[in-house]
Amino acid sequence: HALRNWPPERQAALIRHAVERHGMAVVLLGGRSALEREYADAITRALPFPVLDLVGKDTLKQLLALLQRLTVLVSPDSGPMHLASAVGTPVIGLHAASNPKRSGAWNSQAWAVDRYDEAARKYRGKPAAELPWGSKIEKPGVMKLVSVSDVCEMLDRFVASGLEERF
């Protein structure tokens, strides 16, 4: 969903951090839609080095196999987030448009970057606790509430936890 995507320039900044600070290899995953192709292209254009771009190039079975082999998936509320969770891969969830307590990765709640309450206050004028359960806040710019430093810090915490060494 376009309004749940994190801005591509922020994705690129996170990728630079993951590669330069942690020596991680990065894989871009996504479907075959024009939106997903444009999004991936915007990310790769913002990077000074290549990454493995598999957007639109895999099948559902291949995606599941890839997700199972990842050290960690960074994703907003999406199908791949839930598939990764189902195969036991940790997820750093990016949440402003959706409540991670309801729609986050069930086995990675500790890794959720949660700006949902801030989004509720900004876009709905009340705290998240006062919204109906399951409310989405899919507004232009909502995902900009998730900062690059928020996600880089969560990735640093994840790496420091030693969980990435399970693979």
Side-chain angles (χ1 to χ4, degrees):
H1 193 289
L3 295 174
R4 283 188 236 155
N5 280 345
W6 201 37
E9 65 278 2
R10 292 184 184 198
Q11 284 279 13
L14 171 65
I15 291 168
R16 285 184 72 145
H17 179 80
V19 170
E20 293 169 359
R21 178 149 186 200
H22 300 293
M24 293 179 144
V26 174
V27 180
L28 296 181
L29 301 172
R32 292 179 171 84
S33 72
L35 173 70
E36 289 170 279
R37 180 71 267 153
E38 291 166 15
Y39 184 71
D41 289 344
I43 293 168
T44 58
R45 278 193 307 271
L47 291 170
F49 47 75
V51 294
L52 181 57
D53 181 355
L54 297 180
V55 173
K57 298 176 183 171
D58 59 356
T59 65
L60 186 56
K61 280 184 175 181
Q62 290 168 331
L63 174 62
L64 280 169
L66 285 165
L67 290 171
Q68 196 168 21
R69 288 166 176 78
L70 296 180
T71 300
V72 63
L73 176 72
V74 177
S75 177
D77 182 11
S78 65
M81 167 190 277
H82 301 292
L83 291 172
S85 189
V87 297
T89 297
V91 176
I92 295 175
L94 310 180
H95 295 277
S98 61
N99 184 346
K101 292 172 184 69
R102 180 189 179 275
S103 60
W106 65 271
N107 64 353
S108 295
Q109 288 288 310
W111 307 117
V113 178
D114 182 2
R115 295 292 173 261
Y116 183 69
D117 186 66
E118 187 178 341
R121 292 171 191 276
K122 179 174 181 174
Y123 292 97
R124 299 281 175 87
K126 56 178 113 178
E130 293 180 15
L131 296 178
W133 185 246
S135 293
K136 301 280 188 191
I137 306 172
E138 294 173 335
K139 300 287 186 183
V142 69
M143 290 302 291
K144 289 182 178 179
L145 295 174
V146 176
S147 73
V148 172
S149 63
D150 289 336
V151 185
C152 289
E153 288 171 16
M154 190 63 77
L155 179 63
D156 294 346
R157 279 185 46 218
F158 175 81
V159 171
S161 76
L163 285 176
E164 93 284 2
E165 295 177 12
R166 69 185 183 100
F167 293 99

